[in-house]
Amino acid sequence: MSTHVRYSVIIPMYNEEAVIQETYRRIKKVMGATGEAYELLFVNDGSTDNCAQMIEEYTYWDESVKLIDLSRNFGHQIAITAGMDYSLGDAVVIIDADLQDPPELILDMIREWKNGYEVVYAKRIKRNGESLFKKWTASLFYRVLRYSTDISIPVDTGDFRLIDRKVCEELKRLPEKNRFVRGLVSWVGFRQKAIEYERDERLAGETKYPLKRMIKLSLDGITSFSYKPLKLAGYLGGLLSGAGFLYLMYVLYLALFTDAAVKGWASMIGITLTFNGFVLVMLGILGEYVGRIYDETKGRPLYIVQELYSGRKQQSAAEQRAAQLNKS
């Protein structure tokens, strides 16, 4: 195989033992059809099953397979980042290990890349095998994100995409801890094109993005690219304060200039609770931003690589990284 890598395929995985063999087979078949040199970078994000051991065995006899074994679970977006840091290809493809995104679409992405596009992303026109709640919340998230941010982040897209080497290098310069990769790809710009497809249901296993993780990803996306929630807090706070002041004037008028008893203390309690709830929500929004500032100031690395496996040789993370840089 040529020492120059044309394509790098990043496959983050977390407890994908049930599907990883089929994932390897299908991606291997697709990349073999290109007739060009490639590498498959499997990033183990702290899995507790045997998927990492299975990929490690592949590295013994398949020189195109590399395993980046992280020391613990750092999260899907960080696993993608680790793959980009160790990739060598002229074009870098990101695809999840669960096979909901068809690897065969990679060939279409490569064709568009060769036509001059630096980013080719997959846009979902249909999501098979997902609940109505999941579809509705995903659709709502993308549209709220589009409204909230000042950059154009395509709706109904995930991390399944191809990026040019120059785009990958620019992304590696962005150090933020709470990463939203698809948003960062939009932020760096370059020529981008969408390819539409129908997303398949999972071949096996369970989703690795339950509601809790979806909410965190949503917050990372919104807080990383917009401060509109803070502006909205100011607008709503001013509106509610104005309404409260007018009501206070009404109460004073009744007390000073009429004999009518001031009524509605039950409603006053309701208004007070509403205001207090609003204040707590706004404090929560502020806390999200402050927490992210705190994460940035700590200066910790995004991830820690426990081992790297490539070919028949197992090396430390530092040795493997140095070897890769020397080759490039």
Side-chain angles (χ1 to χ4, degrees):
M1 182 178 291
S2 171
T3 56
H4 178 74
V5 178
R6 182 66 163 164
Y7 307 112
S8 297
V9 184
I10 299 171
I11 309 114
M13 58 182 188
Y14 176 68
N15 292 342
E16 297 290 0
E17 179 182 4
V19 71
I20 200 65
Q21 286 183 324
E22 181 64 12
T23 301
Y24 167 78
R25 186 192 68 80
R26 284 179 60 179
I27 296 178
K28 182 78 176 176
K29 180 179 179 181
V30 168
M31 299 312 298
T34 65
E36 299 176 275
Y38 63 89
E39 61 179 357
L40 306 182
L41 297 168
F42 289 87
V43 185
N44 178 38
D45 189 25
S47 299
T48 57
D49 63 5
N50 293 319
C51 63
Q53 289 80 0
M54 295 166 68
I55 297 300
E56 179 187 346
E57 292 179 5
Y58 292 156
T59 65
Y60 296 152
W61 51 268
D62 187 343
E63 292 183 355
S64 68
V65 177
K66 298 178 182 179
L67 172 63
I68 304 171
D69 192 12
L70 302 185
S71 61
R72 64 170 178 84
N73 179 255
F74 287 90
H76 180 257
Q77 302 294 290
I78 300 300
I80 292 174
T81 302
M84 288 192 291
D85 287 344
Y86 284 87
S87 66
L88 298 174
D90 297 329
V92 178
V93 177
I94 304 167
I95 183 171
D96 289 340
D98 57 16
L99 290 181
Q100 286 188 277
D101 301 320
E104 293 74 20
L105 204 63
I106 295 175
L107 297 178
D108 295 328
M109 293 180 174
I110 291 174
R111 183 182 67 250
E112 296 298 341
W113 173 65
K114 290 182 175 180
N115 287 337
Y117 290 97
E118 284 98 357
V119 177
V120 185
Y121 58 88
K123 181 176 181 179
R124 306 158 183 160
I125 58 176
K126 187 176 181 181
R127 304 169 68 105
N128 297 314
E130 295 183 353
S131 66
L132 290 176
F133 178 76
K134 178 67 176 292
K135 293 177 181 178
W136 179 80
T137 53
S139 177
L140 177 64
F141 159 64
Y142 286 117
R143 280 143 187 87
V144 169
L145 183 64
R146 181 173 62 178
Y147 171 77
S148 301
T149 59
D150 296 324
I151 63 173
S152 178
I153 301 177
V155 299
D156 301 324
T157 62
D159 295 308
F160 183 30
R161 61 191 61 218
L162 178 149
I163 61 175
D164 187 83
R165 168 50 53 184
K166 66 171 72 75
V167 179
C168 184
E169 292 302 318
E170 293 301 325
L171 290 172
K172 288 162 65 173
R173 294 174 55 202
L174 306 178
E176 51 249 59
K177 302 295 189 292
N178 296 284
R179 301 177 72 81
F180 185 63
V181 173
R182 68 200 73 165
L184 295 176
V185 173
S186 296
W187 184 85
V188 298
F190 297 97
R191 295 186 64 199
Q192 306 198 11
K193 183 173 182 180
I195 294 180
E196 295 183 342
Y197 77 110
E198 292 188 12
R199 197 179 199 211
D200 298 328
E201 60 181 310
R202 286 184 62 90
L203 182 66
E206 298 179 353
T207 179
K208 304 307 182 295
Y209 261 102
L211 182 60
K212 181 180 179 180
R213 290 198 176 188
M214 282 296 298
I215 292 174
K216 183 184 185 304
L217 183 65
S218 303
L219 291 174
D220 287 342
I222 293 173
T223 56
S224 294
F225 296 97
S226 176
Y227 55 86
K228 285 185 178 180
L230 297 176
K231 295 175 66 176
L232 179 62
Y235 296 147
L236 291 178
L239 179 63
L240 291 175
S241 296
F245 178 77
L246 291 176
Y247 187 76
L248 176 60
M249 293 298 100
Y250 171 70
V251 171
L252 289 176
Y253 170 78
L254 291 179
L256 296 176
F257 301 104
T258 71
D259 295 329
V262 178
K263 299 179 180 180
W265 293 111
S267 62
M268 286 295 295
I269 294 298
I271 293 173
T272 300
L273 293 175
T274 301
F275 271 78
N276 288 340
F278 172 77
V279 170
L280 291 175
V281 169
M282 292 305 105
L283 286 175
I285 294 176
L286 285 171
E288 290 293 334
Y289 283 91
V290 172
R292 281 157 175 75
I293 295 172
Y294 176 63
D295 283 341
E296 298 297 330
T297 59
K298 286 187 289 189
R300 295 175 183 171
L302 290 176
Y303 58 86
I304 297 173
V305 177
Q306 180 173 254
E307 297 288 353
L308 278 143
Y309 299 87
S310 177
R312 294 181 177 275
K313 187 175 182 181
Q314 176 185 344
Q315 297 173 305
S316 69
E319 292 173 336
Q320 180 71 20
R321 183 61 178 152
Q324 288 180 321
L325 292 176
N326 289 333
K327 286 183 180 180
S328 62

